[in-house]
Amino acid sequence: MAIQIVMDRTGDSRHPFNPRDARELAKAEQRFRELTNAGFTAAVRTGPGQVSQIRSFAPNAEETVFFPRLVGG
């Protein structure tokens, strides 16, 4: 089971999906596109305490985390 974690000002929401299920995989890819188009940064865990930014959907990633764009003033 893979998971997409979306961070926001209220905490996070988690969206598990089975990468072997075509329907769930398509939904996860659509969520990836929607979030990154809205300005979220996507990252995958590469090791304990380590992440790497990704710019395209990674269907084999066990965990993808989405961070909102920071707004300063």
Side-chain angles (χ1 to χ4, degrees):
M1 206 44 121
I3 191 164
Q4 293 176 320
I5 302 170
V6 183
M7 307 298 291
D8 64 22
R9 59 190 161 134
T10 63
D12 66 72
S13 57
R14 295 170 182 262
H15 306 273
F17 67 96
N18 181 349
R20 295 181 182 170
D21 182 312
R23 183 186 294 165
E24 290 185 22
L25 188 62
K27 189 173 179 181
E29 184 171 11
Q30 178 181 350
R31 183 180 300 111
F32 180 94
R33 280 186 270 124
E34 289 173 355
L35 289 167
T36 55
N37 287 341
F40 280 77
T41 298
V44 295
R45 187 178 309 273
T46 56
Q50 298 177 344
V51 295
S52 179
Q53 182 178 355
I54 59 172
R55 299 192 189 283
S56 59
F57 180 64
N60 296 323
E62 289 183 31
E63 182 179 281
T64 305
V65 180
F66 296 89
F67 302 95
R69 182 176 298 165
L70 296 177
V71 178

